[in-house]
Amino acid sequence: MAMFLVDTNVMLAASAISDLSNVAARAMPREIELRESVYEWLVAFDLSDGRIVLDDVGLVRAEYERNMPYNWREQEYGMQVLQNKIDRMQADHVPIETFEGNGEHIAVLEPAHEAIVTDREDRKWVACALAALILFGESPPIVYGAETDWYIARAQLEVLGICFQPLLPTDWYRVKVDQQ
């Protein structure tokens, strides 16, 4: 069974292809040809039997909704894909623990894992991957586009059994990391 954790940046980049999208101005990558390759991956995923992994607390969905709010002209493509997966019963909800800090819910990770995943927003993806590893005996890859944090932390997280599927060329990530 093919399962995937689809980072929000993938949903944004794919949505930004539409002229009616409200997220085009802030979606990354900026390069149209790279956005198109992310879009093509998401279309193939949407049409496949692949499953999307979400958390049982709703942190992933809340991030999608926060970043792709309802667009009265045309629902953002990323949200259409999410709804299609849910409607076709191709969504798996995995249990994660959270705590509330400064009015937001944050996924709980072991302290050693928190040291690797310093962005509190990214912790939910790792928590979901680890929960899926326990539940299903495999870690769904975290699919990412313009996210250098995953590129930087990838080797350390792969030791934990977490898989990744970057959608952009390696050189794109190297250049962005060198610019930081």
Side-chain angles (χ1 to χ4, degrees):
M1 150 175 70
M3 300 180 300
F4 299 90
L5 282 156
V6 184
D7 197 316
T8 308
N9 62 67
V10 171
M11 301 295 215
L12 289 170
S15 295
I17 292 297
S18 171
D19 291 337
L20 299 177
S21 174
N22 284 338
V23 301
R26 61 188 168 85
M28 295 290 288
R30 297 269 185 235
E31 301 89 345
I32 296 298
E33 65 278 0
L34 296 178
R35 284 184 181 183
E36 287 174 353
S37 69
V38 172
Y39 171 78
E40 288 167 7
W41 182 90
L42 195 59
V43 168
F45 173 64
D46 184 25
L47 298 175
S48 76
D49 290 336
R51 304 181 69 76
I52 192 166
V53 176
L54 305 167
D55 62 281
D56 66 342
V57 183
L59 297 183
V60 170
R61 185 175 186 141
E63 182 172 307
Y64 289 161
E65 290 172 350
R66 187 172 56 254
N67 284 282
M68 294 176 288
Y70 182 74
N71 176 348
W72 66 270
R73 297 180 297 180
E74 172 184 90
Q75 183 59 293
E76 300 295 348
Y77 182 64
M79 293 304 292
Q80 291 177 38
V81 172
L82 174 65
Q83 193 59 54
N84 290 342
K85 290 296 182 181
I86 291 169
D87 290 348
R88 293 192 315 256
M89 299 175 69
Q90 294 174 334
D92 293 306
H93 292 81
V94 296
I96 65 169
E97 292 183 43
T98 64
F99 71 93
E100 189 172 334
N102 297 329
E104 62 181 331
H105 280 88
I106 301 156
V108 173
L109 295 177
E110 292 181 23
H113 302 159
E114 285 181 9
I116 300 169
V117 185
T118 56
D119 183 346
R120 293 167 76 165
E121 284 287 321
D122 287 344
R123 291 180 186 171
K124 68 181 147 294
W125 305 106
V126 173
C128 286
L130 293 171
L133 186 59
I134 292 167
L135 279 175
F136 305 116
E138 65 180 279
S139 172
I142 297 173
V143 180
Y144 66 97
E147 178 63 64
T148 56
D149 289 348
W150 294 131
Y151 177 78
I152 293 167
R154 181 177 177 171
Q156 291 176 291
L157 292 169
E158 285 177 336
V159 171
L160 304 175
I162 297 173
C163 304
F164 293 91
Q165 184 172 339
L167 299 180
L168 303 180
T170 302
D171 287 346
W172 188 92
Y173 298 107
R174 284 190 193 130
V175 167
K176 293 297 180 189
V177 168
D178 289 345
Q179 291 174 352
Q180 291 180 348

